[in-house]
Amino acid sequence: MIHKTTIGLGLTVTVLTAGSMAGRVYWMLDVLTHFTIQFALLLTLCLVAGVVQRLHWRYLLVMTAGLIPNLVILYPYFLPVATAAAPTSDDLTIVSINVYAGNDDFDAVAGYVAEKDPDLVLFTEARYEFVDYLEQGGFADSYPYRYAEPSRWSRGLMFASKTPFVNAETVYTTERSRFLSVVLDWQGQPVTFFSVHPLPPLSNLWTQSRNNEYLAFTEHASAVETPLIMVGDFNAAPWSYPLRRLMANTNLRPGAYGHGIRPTWFFMGVVQAPLDYMLVSPEWDVVRYETAGNVGSDHLPLVTDVRLR
């Protein structure tokens, strides 16, 4: 019975891994890339169990074939990075928070930002009520420069900064979809930040809308002549098909490289996926990359320190 369980689980996860590589073909297959970490862990356990149970070599070979693509995807996140070991006061601290449209604990969100004391904050799922809350009190004093496109539910975006924006604009990718683009003068160098939050892949129509937004992000990122950081809730794993295509056509790379895998979205405490992250252009070094804290959302906040080379 134990042998059959190991074989069945290992072969099932191998098939799911193969499906996740075919996201270009069908939208639901691309959703499987949310679970690459889980696939790698399960296949590793199955292989160890299979060796202990002395399963036939053909089963072990198939499981190994399923494990290798997952490891190839994940290994850059664990390679050492050639940057300083600790952040310094000259680094730019960025916090990205998916507030969650159903979250009314605005004090927890503002308190978290006050604790981390970043230079720049991005909020996704910023409702009108949340933006109004931040327009008053201590937050407005600490972050006097704010640019927002709130919404009644989950499509709202907001940047808040300690330093003035050189430029801030809303870029429409379709009639209803948009992202924010802001430029800061950081250490005498103009630097650009895109906030993103495309639709989640809950249907073929929504997935196509999301992928079309990635094409627009690619076009606009390719036109930016300053150091660039794209940050937010991407509603896709960084190794999904549309993200691979975006990075292949720009000079952006995952900021998490060398800092490990950081799942940020949780469902019922079991399902975990890295949906909130940043992509950085070659001019940036990422010296800190963390996800931690409870602000009443179904996503973890992202805290990073970046440094111009």
Side-chain angles (χ1 to χ4, degrees):
M1 180 64 181
I2 296 177
H3 289 65
K4 291 182 178 179
T5 300
T6 302
I7 294 170
L9 180 60
L11 295 183
T12 298
V13 178
T14 296
V15 171
L16 292 174
T17 295
S20 71
M21 304 295 166
R24 183 175 183 175
V25 177
Y26 184 53
W27 71 274
M28 289 190 71
L29 295 178
D30 191 66
V31 175
L32 293 174
T33 58
H34 285 20
F35 313 113
T36 296
I37 304 166
Q38 290 88 335
F39 293 165
L41 290 173
L42 287 172
L43 283 169
T44 300
L45 291 174
C46 287
L47 275 169
V48 171
V51 171
V52 172
Q53 296 166 20
R54 297 185 179 182
L55 294 181
H56 195 283
W57 66 267
R58 289 189 179 89
Y59 293 121
L60 300 180
L61 182 62
V62 171
M63 287 185 239
T64 301
L67 177 61
I68 289 175
N70 293 305
L71 295 181
V72 169
I73 288 171
L74 298 178
Y75 89 90
Y77 293 85
F78 297 94
L79 290 178
V81 290
T83 57
T88 71
S89 58
D90 292 330
D91 298 332
L92 175 66
T93 301
I94 305 169
V95 165
S96 175
I97 301 177
N98 181 315
V99 179
Y100 178 52
N103 179 17
D104 292 321
D105 192 356
F106 300 158
D107 287 341
V109 180
Y112 183 88
V113 174
E115 175 190 345
K116 299 302 179 182
D117 193 31
D119 301 289
L120 181 68
V121 191
L122 163 66
F123 299 105
T124 56
E125 300 200 19
R127 291 156 43 209
Y128 286 99
E129 298 90 335
F130 176 73
V131 173
D132 289 342
Y133 169 88
L134 296 183
E135 293 293 331
Q136 50 194 310
F139 185 91
D141 294 335
S142 299
Y143 295 91
Y145 307 101
R146 300 178 298 279
Y147 185 73
E149 286 283 357
S151 76
R152 286 177 299 207
W153 192 237
S154 64
R155 302 304 304 275
L157 297 165
M158 179 179 183
F159 271 120
S161 173
K162 291 183 176 181
T163 57
F165 298 123
V166 176
N167 184 59
E169 62 178 325
T170 301
V171 182
Y172 280 86
T173 56
T174 67
E175 184 178 348
R176 296 185 178 181
S177 300
R178 67 209 191 273
F179 69 93
L180 305 186
S181 173
V182 300
V183 178
L184 297 179
D185 187 319
W186 183 251
Q187 299 175 348
Q189 165 73 58
V191 293
T192 303
F193 302 88
F194 287 176
S195 69
V196 300
H197 187 209
L199 287 171
L202 298 180
S203 69
N204 183 41
L205 183 63
W206 281 28
T207 302
Q208 188 58 51
S209 171
R210 182 201 67 173
N211 293 350
N212 287 339
E213 286 194 69
Y214 287 131
L215 292 175
F217 300 159
T218 301
E219 178 182 353
H220 288 279
S222 299
V224 172
E225 298 180 352
T226 68
L228 172 65
I229 291 178
M230 186 182 298
V231 61
D233 176 0
F234 287 76
N235 271 317
W239 45 79
S240 65
Y241 164 68
L243 263 297
R244 295 199 313 269
R245 181 175 58 185
L246 184 154
M247 287 185 279
N249 290 285
T250 65
N251 61 3
L252 299 174
R253 74 184 193 281
Y257 274 0
H259 296 276
I261 300 294
R262 307 288 179 173
T264 60
W265 174 68
F266 295 79
F267 179 70
M268 299 181 66
V270 179
V271 180
Q272 306 177 17
L275 303 184
D276 306 79
Y277 46 89
M278 64 164 53
L279 303 178
V280 300
S281 63
E283 297 88 352
W284 295 103
D285 283 328
V286 181
V287 297
R288 178 171 63 139
Y289 196 99
E290 300 175 351
T291 54
N294 180 5
V295 296
S297 174
D298 56 345
H299 290 244
L300 291 178
L302 173 66
V303 183
T304 64
D305 288 302
V306 296
R307 181 179 303 161
L308 284 171
R309 292 181 175 175

